[in-house]
């Protein structure tokens, strides 16, 4: 465990080194936050209570999304390109022979990255949005803690998704096609463009069942108090936790198959 804690700390320090990139990310997220906010204002003026959200809830949703883009990997996990490149060049063989679990190593590094992104690129845009717009804020520390737990679970699901995407390069050689598909899936089915509650009929039901809903829609609804504090909230966490377990398990299966492939080729 000490090894993986060290890897997580290293992941945090690695991204903390690039302060200019962090500032650029905060600026970009804030600009898109303003664009989406005024778009939502126009939309909610025409359709009040769209998706069951008030105007204040909708604006909060916008800034939560901007805060969680990099934390939960809505448009990329931040590590998959590096892992795909190691697979493409064959350097991954060295990683698989090391006395450390490949998935746990990358999970730890990603945990450190997510923690930094939450502090570096998550807090500032939300604070700026709160200064400019009158949006919904949690009613107490309990709601904040519930939201942070949902964000942590969303980050785990995001890692598991992008780890599977990266592992596909063992069989496809170039994983960029899968990356693009996953990027579009995250953009649409996480609720990044519009809350999934707005999606009509069967499409909305399907979108809310997919793992991408764990990355933004569920944390946002926890923040807004739509799950309350009892069984419904536990159900939201269970939804995220089940997807995390399923996807991490699929990642372990892919890793085992990849290890066998490397051993056979190496032998």
């Amino acid at each position: 465990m000490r090894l993986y804690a060290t890897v997580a700390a290293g992941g945090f320090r690695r991204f903390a080194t690039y302060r200019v990139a962090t500032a650029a990310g905060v600026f970009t997220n804030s600009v898109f936050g303003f664009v989406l906010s005024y778009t939502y204002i126009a939309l909610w003026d025409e359709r009040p209570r769209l998706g069951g959200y008030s105007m204040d809830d909708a604006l909060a949703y916008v800034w939560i999304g901007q805060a969680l883009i990099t934390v939960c990997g809505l448009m990329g996990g931040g590590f998959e390109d590096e892992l795909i490149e190691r697979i493409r060049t064959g350097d991954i063989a060295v990683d698989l022979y090391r006395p450390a679990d490949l998935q746990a190593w990358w999970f730890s590094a990603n945990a450190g990255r997510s923690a930094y992104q939450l502090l570096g690129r998550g807090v500032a845009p939300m604070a700026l949005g709160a200064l400019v717009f009158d949006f919904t804020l949690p009613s107490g520390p309990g709601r904040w803690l519930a939201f942070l737990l949902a964000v942590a679970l969303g980050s785990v699901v995001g890692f598991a998704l992008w780890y599977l995407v990266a592992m596909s390069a063992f069989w496809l050689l170039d994983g960029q096609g899968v990356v693009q598909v996953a990027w579009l899936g995250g953009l649409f089915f996480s609720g990044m463009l519009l809350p999934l509650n707005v999606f009509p009929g069967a499409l909305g039901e399907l979108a809310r069942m997919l793992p991408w809903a764990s990355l933004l829609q569920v944390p946002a609804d926890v923040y807004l108090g739509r799950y309350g504090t009892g069984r419904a909230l536990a159900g939201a966490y269970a939804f995220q936790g089940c997807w995390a377990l399923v996807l991490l398990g699929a990642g372990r299966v892919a890793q085992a198959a990849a290890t066998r492939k490397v051993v056979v080729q190496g032998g």
Side-chain angles (χ1 to χ4, degrees), residues 166-213:
M167 295 299 284
S168 70
F170 269 104
W171 294 273
L172 301 177
L173 300 181
D174 184 359
Q176 290 308 309
V178 181
V179 168
Q180 291 299 317
V181 171
W183 184 86
L184 289 172
L187 184 66
F188 188 75
F189 287 114
S190 68
M192 186 67 204
L193 298 178
L194 278 173
L196 301 183
N197 296 339
V198 175
F199 289 16
L203 176 61
E205 294 293 332
L206 174 63
R208 289 188 289 272
M209 291 173 59
L210 295 175
W212 287 286

